[in-house]
Every structure is written in structure tokens, then in C-alpha cells.
Amino acid sequence: MADESRFPHDDQPAVESDEHAAERLATPEQWAAMTFAPVLIDLNKFGAAWEQARGVVARTAIELLRLDDRALTSHFMAQDAPLMEPMETYRALQDEVEYLKTHMEALETASTRMLCVASRCVERRSS
């Protein structure tokens, strides 16, 4: 029950960020006029090992989320060292959160670039 307070209720209006409000104010023509340079990224950093690491953490989170508090407690209490595994899992999840924060700006930039390109495509089709 305590988790419910972290999520907005359906009857409350969603809070819009300043960034999203600004995006709505730009016209398709303004988005189409924006320019950007390429970002040099070593694709080798994002190979099979990277995908495996992200997948392991995602699967762990899914397994944890599928259990209620009693089942999760029982799972860890059944371990030889009941405190060790949850603390290691906690640290791994927190490390992943911090890692993903470093990628949020890149994802936002890529998303904005797609909006620019989509605006150009709309502008071209209407010409």
C-alpha cells in the first residue's frame, strides 16, 4: 500500500514539465529549422556484454516486482545469509539507476533530433 503514494492518481491532473510545455510551443517549422552535429560514439561499447548487463538487471527488477513484501521477505530469509543477497541486489539496482542517469541526456537528445527530422518530413510532404 505504501507504494501507491508514489504514483499519481487517475483523478488528479498530470503535472507537465517545463520542457514538455516548451516542446508544445515550438511549431513544426521551428523544429524543422533546427540543426545539429553528429556525436561520435564508439558502438563497440554497446555490444553483447552491454546488452547482457542491462538485461540481467532488468530481469532482476522484474522478478522482484512480481513478488509482494511477504513473498520477497520469505525468498531472502530462505538464503543462508539472508541479508547479503538483498543488499547486493540493492547495490546492483542502485548502480544501474546511476548508470542509466548518464544516458538520459543522450536519449533526450536523440528524441529531440527525431522530432526535428519528423518536422522536416512533414514540411517536405506539404510542399
Side-chain angles (χ1 to χ4, degrees), residues 4 13 17 21 35 43 47 55 59-60 62 67 74 81 84 86 89-90 113-114 120 122 125:
E4 291 176 3
S17 71
T35 61
L43 290 177
R59 284 186 294 277
T60 298
I62 289 167
L67 300 173
S74 294
M84 184 184 296
T89 303
Y90 166 79
R113 288 180 177 203
M114 290 300 91
R120 290 178 187 156
V122 167
R125 290 192 83 183

Side-chain angles (χ1 to χ4, degrees), residues 45 49 71:
K45 289 183 174 182

